[in-house]
Amino acid sequence: AAQTIIRDRSTLKEDFIFFANRIARLVIERALEELPFDNIQVMTPVGNTYEGKRAKFRACGVSVIGSGEIMETAFLSILKDTPLGKVTIKKMMTSERKHEILSSDLPSDISLRYVLLLDAAIATGTAAMLAIQDLKKNNVTEDKIILCSLIGTLQGIQNVCGEFPG
C-alpha cells in the first residue's frame, strides 16, 4: 500500500513524506540483512539465553545528491553515528544525456566499509552507475556496495545490474 500512496499524484505532501520515510527504513533494514553477522548468545534480564546476532561489518552511507537525501534520515535513525558521504552528479539534458560527477565527499576509510548507496529513484540508472564508478575509483569493491532505492524502472535496474553484476 505504501508504494501506491507515494505514486498517487493526489497524495498529500505530509502523507508522501511519511510513507517515503517508512519505505526507506524498510529498504535500509533489508539491505543490512545482506551484510555479515556473527551468531552470539546473550543473557536476558530474566536469566534466559537468547540466540542473537552481532554485526561483523563496518558500514557507511553514500547519498546521491538530489535523490538520496530523502533516505538519509532513515539511514541515520537505523545506523546512528555511521558516516554518510555524498556524491553530486550533474545531469546534462542533451540528446546524449551525458552526466558527470561534480563532487564526491566520501569517508576517508570508505574502502574498508560496506557502502549503502542511497538513490531514492532510479529512472535510467545513470546516476547510480556514476556513483558506483566513483566508489570503485575509491577502492570500494562491487561486493561491498548495496544500492538502496525506493522506486525504480525495470530498465534502470537492468542497466545498473548489467553494468555492475557484483
Side-chain angles (χ1 to χ4, degrees):
Q3 282 283 342
T4 303
I5 292 167
I6 69 168
R7 289 173 184 241
D8 185 345
R9 69 179 177 183
S10 68
T11 296
L12 299 174
K13 181 180 177 181
E14 58 270 14
D15 290 337
F16 178 88
I17 292 168
F18 174 83
F19 285 101
N21 284 332
R22 183 171 172 226
I23 295 168
R25 286 185 61 89
L26 292 169
V27 167
I28 292 165
E29 292 280 2
R30 177 61 186 91
L32 291 175
E33 292 176 17
E34 297 300 314
L35 302 181
F37 287 86
D38 283 327
N39 293 320
I40 63 166
Q41 289 184 345
V42 296
M43 191 62 64
T44 69
V46 295
N48 295 326
T49 301
Y50 176 78
E51 302 283 335
K53 298 194 178 286
R54 177 177 291 140
K56 191 168 107 172
F57 60 85
R58 292 176 60 209
C60 70
V62 172
S63 180
V64 176
I65 299 296
S67 175
E69 294 132 320
I70 192 172
M71 301 178 76
E72 290 178 9
T73 300
F75 176 86
L76 292 171
S77 72
I78 296 166
L79 293 164
K80 188 176 98 164
D81 301 325
T82 301
L84 184 61
K86 304 204 182 248
V87 175
T88 305
I89 296 171
K90 181 178 181 182
K91 297 180 179 181
M92 308 293 280
M93 295 305 180
T94 65
S95 59
E96 297 165 12
R97 296 189 64 87
K98 185 167 174 68
H99 296 18
E100 61 185 47
I101 301 247
L102 281 182
S103 67
S104 178
D105 182 20
L106 305 174
S108 59
D109 63 347
I110 195 164
S111 65
L112 304 174
R113 296 178 179 270
Y114 283 86
V115 178
L116 276 66
L117 179 58
L118 311 177
D119 187 2
I122 298 175
T124 63
T126 304
M129 290 187 289
L130 280 171
I132 293 168
Q133 287 170 358
D134 189 54
L135 292 171
K136 289 179 70 172
K137 285 179 188 172
N138 284 277
N139 299 315
V140 179
T141 57
E142 279 183 42
D143 64 314
K144 289 194 172 183
I145 302 169
I146 299 176
L147 178 58
C148 300
S149 184
L150 305 183
I151 192 168
T153 66
L154 178 60
Q155 186 62 53
I157 293 165
Q158 287 174 336
N159 289 342
V160 173
C161 292
E163 185 74 23
F164 301 104

